[in-house]
Amino acid sequence: MSPRVVVTGLGVISPVGTGKEAFWEALVKGRSGVRRITRFDASEFKTQIAAEVGDFDPEAYIDKKEARRMDRFTQFAVAAANLALSDAAIATEALDRDRVGVVLGCGIGGIGTFEEQTRVLVSRGPNRVSPFFVPMMIANMGAGYIAIYHRFYGPNSTVVTACASSNHAIGEAFRIIQRGEADVMLTGGAEAAITPVALAGFCAMKAMSTRNDEPEKACRPFDAARDGFVIGEGAAVLVLERLEHALARGARIYAEVAGYGQSCDAYHITAPDPDGAGAAKAMARALADARLRPEEVDYINAHGTSTPLNDKVETMAIKKVFGEFAYRIPVSSTKSMTGHLLGAAGGIEAAACVLSITHGVIPPTINYENPDPECDLDYVPNEARRAQVDVALSNGLGFGGHNATLIFKRFPA
């Protein structure tokens, strides 16, 4: 039997608050983090709104000199990891650092650094490009820096599967502990892609909401009037531990990681498989991995991007897996409040699932006003709901047809 794996720490840097308490309070109150963009002049863009992290001071977590050598996404990653380790009450000096690893998800990496240094190249020439350009930009540096900071010599990698990156990262960290290669894994994701080029690219795809006059109402998953996703930024890191390791040190256990499933649509670079088969396979495989029946799931944190196609297809996929029981499961999209953190989305949504189990509350899908006959499940509209949540399922669906599902379970169970 594979070792059991539990969640013992949470660190969140999000558009709705820093730290798990502020994050959770905002979700329960249905507070949106979407505003007009402040990080650059977006007045010429079709989309002028985003979910920015507004209260982040990297020097509160990282040495000033080191912070200047990090892209914003790496700063988020290191800060979230520090919060998670503190929350887990882990004394790092007491750990066998050969048995501690890091796997993060990141969809794009240091695109802000890339854009800045491209401007330097064009305006001032190649000899003025920063020697830190490449290490600041590459997507694996979040995981690398966390290990450097804490001298963690165990498995270390980064998963890049677009918006499913963090789900895959957490799933792979889960597998690493199950295989006996580590006792403790820091995992989740980080992203900071609210930049002019990234925004222009998503605008060109016509994938984003243009509800610029009502930012807080722009992200409306499963609503008939949804018109695209809202980009967000931030990071979330979970501390996963082998159960015996956590028990031996008397750790507080939030939940157990019960299952992980993945699949590929093998259909299109951006559009989901139109009948939801790929997403359904990921959910079914996660349930099989967790040895759970569909009717044992109490809550689904949907990928729920607020794009017309995603929400329709994810709804179809849930029905394929859960049948008639699909209509009885609360399904919500916390992206309605946080925006879409791309490669970091699965990290904060995993944190939301774990906190839902802990507090017995299901966060809502806000801005749900107009029922869509093609999205006819219980989306927990607009207000949080108190409920016993023993099993929570989280979907991550990415460009390229990447699908990954995680299942968390109450401990002990």
Side-chain angles (χ1 to χ4, degrees), residues 111-396:
I111 190 168
T113 296
F114 181 86
E115 292 180 27
E116 179 183 349
Q117 293 302 311
T118 299
R119 286 192 292 271
V120 170
L121 173 66
V122 171
S123 63
R124 301 170 65 187
N127 294 330
R128 303 306 297 269
V129 170
S130 169
F132 295 102
F133 167 48
V134 172
M136 287 176 68
M137 178 193 69
I138 53 181
N140 60 307
M141 202 49 68
Y145 249 117
I146 291 170
I148 291 166
Y149 237 67
H150 297 284
R151 299 291 186 264
F152 294 151
Y153 303 111
N156 191 294
S157 65
T158 296
V159 180
V160 181
T161 51
C163 304
S165 298
S166 293
N167 290 64
H168 279 115
I170 295 168
E172 294 307 310
F174 171 49
R175 293 284 188 253
I176 285 170
I177 295 177
Q178 285 188 320
R179 291 196 299 265
E181 297 171 12
D183 295 321
V184 179
M185 292 294 297
L186 276 69
T187 185
E191 199 81 89
I194 303 175
T195 69
V197 170
L199 192 72
F202 284 122
C203 284
M205 292 175 61
K206 299 180 179 178
M208 307 184 77
S209 172
T210 56
R211 202 181 294 266
N212 296 317
D213 294 334
E214 296 181 295
E216 295 182 355
K217 293 187 175 183
C219 192
R220 44 183 55 238
F222 304 108
D223 184 274
R226 64 190 183 277
D227 70 333
F229 80 89
V230 176
I231 191 171
E233 63 176 0
V237 171
L238 285 68
V239 177
L240 304 190
E241 284 189 68
R242 185 168 55 83
L243 175 59
E244 290 76 9
H245 189 276
L247 292 175
R249 70 177 187 88
R252 172 195 49 200
I253 295 174
Y254 283 105
E256 180 172 1
V257 186
Y260 167 46
Q262 56 176 321
S263 70
C264 187
D265 287 353
Y267 172 73
H268 189 270
I269 57 172
T270 56
D273 181 339
D275 69 1
K281 287 175 184 173
M283 284 186 270
R285 290 168 183 171
L287 284 167
D289 187 46
R291 300 181 181 182
L292 291 170
R293 291 174 283 109
E295 54 270 31
E296 292 181 274
V297 174
D298 300 306
Y299 167 51
I300 296 175
N301 188 298
H303 190 62
T305 58
S306 184
T307 60
L309 200 52
N310 174 90
D311 297 357
K312 171 187 170 184
V313 169
E314 189 173 10
T315 298
M316 294 169 66
I318 291 170
K319 292 178 183 177
K320 279 181 183 292
V321 175
F322 292 90
E324 285 299 312
F325 190 70
Y327 293 94
R328 297 167 56 188
I329 307 174
V331 178
S332 73
S333 171
T334 43
K335 287 186 180 72
S336 60
M337 294 167 277
T338 65
H340 189 350
L341 273 66
L342 310 180
I348 64 165
E349 288 158 18
C353 286
V354 168
L355 291 169
S356 181
I357 292 170
T358 302
H359 294 286
V361 176
I362 296 173
T365 304
I366 67 167
N367 301 320
Y368 185 87
E369 297 171 335
N370 309 288
D372 179 347
E374 294 187 304
C375 299
D376 56 352
L377 301 179
D378 173 9
Y379 301 110
V380 194
N382 302 315
E383 292 187 6
R385 182 182 302 168
R386 185 159 292 282
Q388 176 77 13
V389 180
D390 291 327
V391 177
L393 180 153
S394 179
N395 282 331

